Each structure stands twice: as C-alpha cells, then as structure tokens.
Amino acid sequence: MNNRKMRAFMSTLLLATALTGGPALAAESAAPAATDAAPAARPWMNTTLSADARADLLLREMTVEEKKTLVFGYFGSPFKERNYVPPAGIRMGSAGYIPGIDRLGIPAQWQTDAGVGVATQRDSAEPMRERTSLPAGIATVATWNPVLARQGGAMIGKEARLSGFNIMLAGGINLVREPRNGRNFEYGTEDPLLAGIMVGAQISGIQSNNIISTIKHYALNAQETGRFVLSANIEEAGARMSDLLAFEIAMERSNPGSVMCAYNRYNGDYACESDFLLNKVLKGDWAYPYYVMSDWGAVHSTAKAANAGLDQESGYIFDKEMYFGADLLGKALADGSVGMARLDDMNRRILRAMFAHGVMDNPVAVEDHKIDYDAHAKVTRADAEEGIVLLRNQGDLLPLAAGAKKIAVIGGHADKGVMSGGGSSTVFGRGGNPVPGTGPKFFPGPIVYHANPPLDAIKARAGGEVAFDAGSDPAAAAKLAADSDIAIVFVNQWTGEAMDFTLTLPDNQDALVAAVAKANKRTIVVVQSGGPVFMPWLKDVGAVLAAWYPGTAGGEAIARVLYGEVDASGRLPVTFPGSLDQLPRPKLDGEGLPDGTPFDVAYPEGAAVGYKWFDRKGLKPLFPFGYGLSYTSFAYKDLKAEVGADGTLTLSGSVTNKGDRAGKAVPQLYVGPVSGGWEAPKRLAGWQKLELAPGASGRFSVPVDARLLATFDVAKKEWVVKPGRYKVWLGASVADLPVTTEVTLKGSSFSAVKGK
Ligand code: BGC
C-alpha cells in the first residue's frame, strides 16, 4: 500500500471525491507527443544569450500541447489505492516528474525532496536511495554559520544531480511561529534575518550544481494541524515584516529557480491561488522572474490558480482534479478563462529558470556510483557539530576528558544510531534503518534513524568502561547510573510532517532523566528533537546538549562535542518556551476539529514572532533565542553604530576569548527604537561567527539591512525608517546583551517594489 500521502488525503477529505470521480491513470493520460518536426537548429542553446532571450526563442517553437506539458507535474511514485502508475521516465520513488520535450531538447524535470538530502518516497517498490543526510534544517540554522549552510547545500545538491535529479524541493523557510509545528525541523528559526541568510546560503549551495532549488512553503504555513484548510490571517504589514521578509532576504541571496506555494490559505485564499502572494508580492513587488510550483495537493482550481500566478501544478495524483492537465487547461484556454499569454508566461518562467540555473546546458544522469560518501560524511558532520547547542554545563562537566572513567550511556537508541525527522524530507541513510518499526506505521512514519551510533563514538573516545542501558526501565537505568562516574542520557522527540506535537518528551523520558539524575549528579542529557522541548528535570542535571536531528554523521558529531574536540558553538535559532501559557496561542488552533473542517488562525503576535513576543510581553523563557554556551567564555566591547554617507547603518565591535581553550563566538547585534513603535523592543540586526584562539580578539562589522530598521507602510508600499534615537545592543543572546550604544537616524523611506 502506498501510504505516502494517505494522511494528506484523509485530511483534505478529497479521497471520496477522487475515488468516485477521479482522473484517469497518469499512464493513460501522459502528455501528448509533439506533432511538429524537430527544428533544424536550436538557437536557444546559444549560451552567449541571456536566459530571457533563450526562453523566448524556445517558446516560439513550442506547440500549445507542448506548452501544456511543462506546466503539469506527476508524482514520482506509485499510489496503489488510486491505481496510479507514474509515467515512464520518472525516477522511481521520487517526489515528482514533468516530462521533457525531446523534439526541442527540453529535458524532463526530475524533482527530489528535500532540505537535508535526497529523500525517497518510502512506499515505492524500488529499493530506497540511500544517501547522505545533513542535520535537520534547524540544526544548520543553529550553526549561525552561512559558510557551512552553503557547503551542506552544495553537498546535497551534488547528490541530487548524481542521483539524476535537476530540481531539489529544498529551501524550507517558514518562520517558527508555532513551536509545536511538526515541520520546524525542516525550517529553522523564528527570525527573518537569520532565516534569510542561512536558508539562502543553503539554496545557493544546492544551485551551484546547475540544478534548481525551490524555496518553500510560500507562505505563512506555520503549523501542520489543518494545513490543507486553515486560513492564516495576518495583516499585510505584519506579514511583510516577518515571514515574507524571510523569503525576500533568502531569495535576494540565492535566486531560487522556483517558489513552492503552500497548502494553507492566506487571508482566505489558498496560497496557490492567492493573487496577493503570487502576482502582487512575489512577481510584482519582488520582480521574481522564475516559476511558482504548487505543493503536492495544494491546487484547487484552473483559472483562479493560473490567473493568480501559479505556473506549474505539481504531483498529480494529489489534487482532486488535473487542474493544469491538458483537458482542463485546454478548456480554460478555449473559453478564455485562462489566456494564451498566461500559458506563455508560465512556460517562459519555467524555461527561464531552466536556462538560468544550468538545467538546460548540463543534463543530469543517474551516476550515483560517483557519490563520494566519505567526503560527504565530513560535510554533514561539520554542520551537525556546529549546530549542537550546549544549554547547560554545571561545574564544567563538559567537555569530557578522555580517560578511564566508567560511563553509562542510556536511552534514545544511542547504541544504534541517531534520529531523523519524518515525512517527505526523510533521507534514508546508507545501510538502512537500524531501528525499524518505531513511530507511526504510515506517513510520516515510521521513524528513520541513521546508523551512526553515539555509543560507538563515545566508546572510541572514552578509554574506560562504557555500559549501555536502553532506558525503558528508569529504575534499571538509575542503577547503572549510580554505579558509573558519568551518565549520558539520550532523549528523543520525533516530529514529522502532517502532524504537530506537544513540547513534552514522549515515552516517559522525563521520568527516565529524573531517575538517572537522582542517582548521579554527573548526568548529561543529549536531546534529539525537531525544536523546543520542555525540560522539567533541568535543574537536576549537570549538562544538556540540544543535538536536533544530527544527520548521517550525527553520532560522531555528538561525541566530538561531548569530548571537546570542537567547541560547543551552536546557538538557539528559536526560543524554548517555559510553558504553553507563554505562547501567543496557548491552544493550537484546529486541534480536535474533525479533519477537513476549515478554520481561521489569527496571529496575535503579528510580526512579533518568537523572541520578539517574549521580549514585548516581558516573559522569561526556558532558554532565549541566540543562547548557547561555549567551552570557553567571551567578552564583548567596542560597540559602534555609524551611519555612512549613503545612510547605511553599520554596527561594529569586538569579542575576546577570555578562556584557555580555542572557541567560536557568535556576537549578536540587536536594534530597536528608543521610543518604541515597533512590533517588539528589538530585532536581530546582524551577527558574525568568529573562531578565536585563547586570549585572542576579533573584530566584526555588519551593515544593517534598512528593512530591519523600518516598519512597513501598506498604503504607500514603502519601508519607513522613523527619524530618532535607536538603541543598539551587543552580546551573547537576546537575553544577554551587556554592551549598548545609541545612534540617531535621520529617517527615510524606500519603496518595497524592486527597481523603484
Ligand atoms: C510537502 C512538500 C514536499 C512535497 C513533495 C508535500 O507534502 O509539503 O514539502 O516537497 O510533498 O514530496
């Protein structure tokens, strides 16, 4: 049974309709063959011409049938309940496929998920593609190191290319508005600047392989509960200063070939038929030149979607109808509800992206024997170890000294591997899943682990005795801990697509930690999770590491941080709340509603997402945004805020390593108007990551994006920087900002429309 999207269907209540009146099998309805003869020459293959000119030349040669072909995508895996057999030419077990046009030399578009590597749809008949997995997106963002994000992107993009894919469905950038969102692990942060820079870096790494990356899910797709039906209602200015700004910044930095519109509605309209999101903001104000593809099952109409700016329907068999299929699109063209100019524009955008991103000139082939897995394991390890956040370290319990101590390793399947997040983005590691049969039986489960056991990596370093206890019986685990010098407890919270989660660790793991901590004060907790979790035992344990889902080399990465082979240099990209009461919406909207019941989500926080909400309300979280300890300590000084001749505000300062170990500092700069008037007292304005030898100092200087000094004026479509005094903060997290200064800004306004 193909359960890949079964859950999705059940949730949308589309199944019944589809089964009774659904479209014909893809195999029978594959795009019609071109009738025109092949042209004698292919002037569009002249690489000295611009992508624009090449797309125009090619478009002129295309028949209407061919134009209809490029705007309609198929799911890349069989779906037995619906008798769906994907068309010949797909890469089996992939996310999607759009047939090519041989006559004109247009290659097929082979699409693979997603942000941590080449995923496989788990129900395909073929063996899984076993590939390298990066740590979760949230872990990469927690490095605060765009160089690593880019390298990771380049690595997974290379595996995508060598696996025969020219489109990677990566670039998840939805802001973490809702800590319970099951997909936070795919995204990364609550801050638009951090999101834009880090996700942008990863996208540009992926695209450095002459393939296209998406950025997704556009927009305001902040929770999984009711994702097919909910309307995210947030006024325009709030959206522009938060989620939309994250997209805007990432897109400016990475030029993604495609934008994937989301499942949810925005202010009433489905995101994939939102004239505001697609035509007005994306293609209008931001002058986006490439194409919008839908999420799989996110299209609800032909004319409305096409005219709102959707360029390509993805993943046929997930929509109720083949809205952009040859028949319905043909009818819409015939009755004029979709104009030929729109169909041309859809094709031009797709072709332009394929030319601009090297897809036309650098055909992909399945050459997976060329993947250098050893080299790629080093890339993912570097990312994972810099993303691990040291949350607590009483009496310098960490780093562990290599020596003859007796260590108890407890729980979390640490003897087998490390956890990964669930759903379409799941990458299957080499050697298969070492912990089969856990979690939900069907999509987004079962839970997949990567066979890189932390236990082995600890043993390799410990020198003394290392004993393992599975952790299922807290009393037995506590007994082992009492007999050991040190206890390392692994606790896991699995999260996944199509579901949301509580912030409480499942399976009695809080009781396990409490029991172990009671037996041994020298207890270290390693948390694998997709986002924030509650830690009722925090005060009783010696040390805590947030390891997220650390990917293919995760066990090694965790051990390297535990043993101080690298500094602990991750910093939280999200606030860890102390309780649900602190959230803007303590109750998750839509929870408990019958599947498929539409509902609205009002966002009381507006643009004040995450730490901004906590700051505005004066709430003390469990751990603040930006927080993370190091094995050394840093001092910050020399903060300067200077306005250049062109009006750019530049913030600079210095940081000194005060300890006797090398370490990596992440000095963070925040800014806010002295007299208030923003959604929150302060916003992240910049940061830098610096490696410092003991006693060494480093300087940093960051120009501030003027949008971060502005509020959005909807009527004028302008960013407005109010004249006046602004405060600037420098320090180690949003809650630890010891150095401040002030600067006067003259005030300015500038258009939100690119090129204006
Ligand atoms: C997800 C997308 C994914 C697509 C293709 C959808 O369920 O929301 O992120 O790229 O499936 O698998």
Side-chain angles (χ1 to χ4, degrees):
M1 140 155 170
N2 186 324
N3 56 64
R4 163 67 178 81
K5 303 279 172 154
M6 197 60 192
R7 204 187 156 81
F9 272 100
M10 299 311 286
S11 308
T12 47
L13 294 182
L14 293 180
L15 188 60
T17 344
L19 286 174
T20 49
L25 297 188
E28 294 162 12
S29 58
T35 45
D36 282 13
R42 289 177 174 170
W44 53 87
M45 292 311 287
N46 177 352
T47 54
T48 64
L49 299 176
S50 69
D52 246 5
R54 295 174 74 183
D56 277 338
L57 285 168
L58 181 44
L59 193 61
R60 255 180 250 156
E61 285 293 331
M62 291 173 74
T63 65
V64 174
E65 290 310 313
E66 287 167 343
K67 290 175 187 171
K68 288 196 268 178
T69 303
L70 289 200
V71 302
F72 185 74
Y74 297 85
F75 185 39
S77 292
F79 200 144
K80 290 200 191 102
E81 288 84 353
R82 311 225 17 223
N83 293 328
Y84 171 69
V85 183
I90 66 150
R91 307 274 192 236
M92 189 57 93
S94 67
Y97 169 71
I98 292 96
I101 300 170
D102 287 347
R103 183 180 79 85
L104 301 172
I106 302 175
Q109 296 165 56
W110 284 287
Q111 301 166 321
T112 180
D113 284 302
V116 296
V118 177
T120 307
Q121 305 298 325
R122 61 194 70 203
D123 305 302
S124 68
E126 305 294 301
M128 298 293 168
R129 282 181 188 81
E130 296 185 351
R131 296 290 183 264
T132 308
S133 174
L134 288 171
I138 196 168
T140 296
V141 178
T143 67
W144 294 60
N145 185 342
V147 175
L148 285 177
R150 191 174 198 284
Q151 283 167 357
M155 182 274 281
I156 60 171
K158 187 164 191 189
E159 291 201 7
R161 160 167 283 279
L162 293 176
S163 305
F165 294 103
N166 47 20
I167 297 178
M168 198 162 204
L169 308 175
I173 196 171
N174 298 91
L175 288 191
V176 177
R177 278 179 184 270
E178 172 49 70
R180 291 160 288 192
N181 178 2
R183 293 189 91 172
N184 285 339
F185 76 94
E186 290 189 61
Y187 304 144
T189 173
E190 56 201 30
D191 182 79
L193 178 67
L194 184 60
I197 290 181
M198 296 300 292
V199 176
Q202 196 192 48
I203 293 171
S204 58
I206 293 170
Q207 293 195 149
S208 68
N209 293 282
N210 290 314
I211 63 172
I212 286 171
S213 173
T214 55
I215 187 166
K216 70 187 188 184
H217 308 90
Y218 186 70
L220 276 307
N221 188 178
Q223 68 177 52
E224 292 297 281
T225 304
R227 66 175 173 169
F228 299 109
V229 289
L230 72 80
S231 180
N233 299 339
I234 175 166
E235 37 71 50
E236 181 178 342
R240 294 268 198 172
M241 297 190 294
S242 57
D243 294 65
L244 297 184
L245 183 57
F247 273 92
E248 199 179 1
I249 294 173
M251 290 171 67
E252 289 161 358
R253 293 172 160 256
S254 64
N255 200 22
S258 184
V259 171
M260 187 191 290
C261 50
Y263 285 128
N264 57 285
R265 291 178 290 139
Y266 171 65
N267 288 346
D269 283 325
Y270 282 108
C272 291
E273 44 185 53
S274 164
D275 180 63
F276 172 78
L277 285 177
L278 305 182
N279 281 340
K280 298 224 158 60
V281 176
L282 179 71
K283 295 179 176 180
D285 300 348
W286 300 348
Y288 181 63
Y290 305 125
Y291 69 105
V292 178
M293 70 166 78
S294 69
D295 200 343
W296 275 228
V299 187
H300 301 269
S301 60
T302 303
K304 183 168 182 194
N307 294 326
L310 178 65
D311 299 304
Q312 188 180 70
E313 179 180 12
S314 309
Y316 162 71
I317 181 111
F318 291 111
D319 289 318
K320 187 170 152 191
E321 305 275 356
M322 301 166 91
Y323 293 108
F324 283 21
D327 288 354
L328 287 182
L329 196 52
K331 271 190 203 136
L333 289 165
D335 70 21
S337 55
V338 175
M340 193 54 76
R342 180 75 258 272
L343 182 63
D344 282 349
D345 180 47
M346 289 149 96
N347 276 272
R348 191 181 292 109
R349 286 171 171 278
I350 295 165
L351 294 171
R352 192 187 275 143
M354 291 173 78
F355 280 117
H357 291 81
V359 169
M360 292 290 291
D361 299 325
N362 304 275
V364 293
V366 180
E367 300 176 297
D368 43 349
H369 58 280
K370 292 192 183 160
I371 298 176
D372 184 345
Y373 290 105
D374 291 341
H376 291 185
K378 291 197 183 106
V379 176
T380 181
R381 193 192 73 191
D383 189 355
E385 65 197 22
E386 273 207 25
I388 292 173
V389 185
L390 178 61
L391 295 174
R392 178 175 171 87
N393 195 15
Q394 290 302 101
D396 290 341
L397 182 53
L398 292 175
L400 296 172
K405 299 228 165 82
K406 181 172 174 193
I407 299 179
V409 175
I410 295 164
H413 299 289
D415 56 331
K416 300 270 174 29
V418 288
M419 183 175 257
S420 68
S424 54
S425 66
T426 305
V427 172
F428 293 84
R430 293 177 76 218
N433 182 0
V435 190
T438 64
K441 245 179 149 165
F442 301 120
F443 187 89
I447 301 175
V448 171
Y449 283 74
H450 295 295
N452 192 247
L455 179 64
D456 293 2
I458 291 167
K459 278 186 177 161
R461 290 164 172 84
E465 195 189 329
V466 180
F468 180 72
D469 180 282
S472 37
D473 173 6
K479 190 163 178 307
L480 176 66
D483 291 344
S484 307
D485 297 305
I486 284 174
I488 308 175
V489 192
F490 285 79
V491 292
N492 296 350
Q493 189 190 39
W494 181 76
T495 57
E497 182 178 344
M499 306 167 76
D500 293 320
F501 293 80
T502 70
L503 302 186
T504 299
L505 290 173
D507 304 328
N508 215 24
Q509 293 179 97
D510 284 333
L512 172 68
V513 177
V516 171
K518 206 166 168 207
N520 190 332
K521 282 208 315 273
R522 293 160 66 80
T523 290
I524 298 155
V525 183
V526 179
V527 183
Q528 295 183 79
S529 72
V533 294
F534 294 142
M535 301 181 188
W537 31 258
L538 184 65
K539 298 249 161 354
D540 303 321
V541 302
V544 181
L545 287 178
W548 318 109
Y549 304 136
T552 290
E556 278 289 311
I558 290 169
R560 278 167 59 80
V561 175
L562 286 172
Y563 280 89
E565 289 166 25
V566 287
D567 189 21
S569 72
R571 302 291 183 262
L572 289 183
V574 291
T575 307
F576 275 41
S579 68
L580 294 180
D581 293 350
Q582 294 182 326
L583 300 178
R585 297 176 298 139
K587 184 177 171 333
L588 194 64
D589 289 285
E591 209 172 44
L593 281 183
D595 260 356
T597 313
F599 61 95
D600 290 343
V601 184
Y603 289 96
E605 75 276 22
V609 184
Y611 68 88
K612 293 171 182 161
W613 171 263
F614 278 73
D615 208 4
R616 170 165 120 190
K617 295 277 172 186
L619 297 165
K620 193 173 167 345
L622 182 63
F623 293 110
F625 174 82
Y627 173 80
L629 302 170
S630 154
Y631 290 142
T632 182
S633 61
F634 301 105
Y636 307 89
K637 57 177 192 199
D638 303 329
L639 176 60
K640 279 204 186 66
E642 288 158 318
V643 181
D646 66 351
T648 303
L649 173 65
T650 299
L651 307 179
S652 60
S654 72
V655 54
T656 303
N657 180 351
K658 293 194 310 173
D660 51 14
R661 302 174 60 97
K664 288 189 179 173
V666 186
Q668 297 161 39
L669 295 150
Y670 295 81
V671 64
V674 168
S675 56
W678 284 2
E679 74 281 4
K682 57 179 89 68
R683 300 171 179 163
L684 180 70
W687 78 90
Q688 205 151 311
K689 191 158 196 178
L690 295 103
E691 182 156 23
L692 295 171
S697 295
R699 292 199 59 79
F700 49 87
S701 170
V702 184
V704 181
D705 186 319
R707 289 167 294 194
L708 295 169
L709 302 169
T711 49
F712 194 86
D713 183 326
V714 173
K716 294 197 182 130
K717 225 189 253 191
E718 277 180 354
W719 294 98
V720 180
V721 182
K722 297 225 172 71
R725 298 289 286 165
Y726 287 74
K727 189 164 175 182
V728 178
W729 292 261
L730 164 65
S733 81
V734 71
D736 177 12
L737 297 167
V739 189
T740 61
T741 187
E742 282 190 17
V743 62
T744 300
L745 299 181
K746 274 212 298 247
S748 61
S749 58
F750 50 97
S751 175
V753 181
K754 293 254 174 330
K756 237 182 146 186

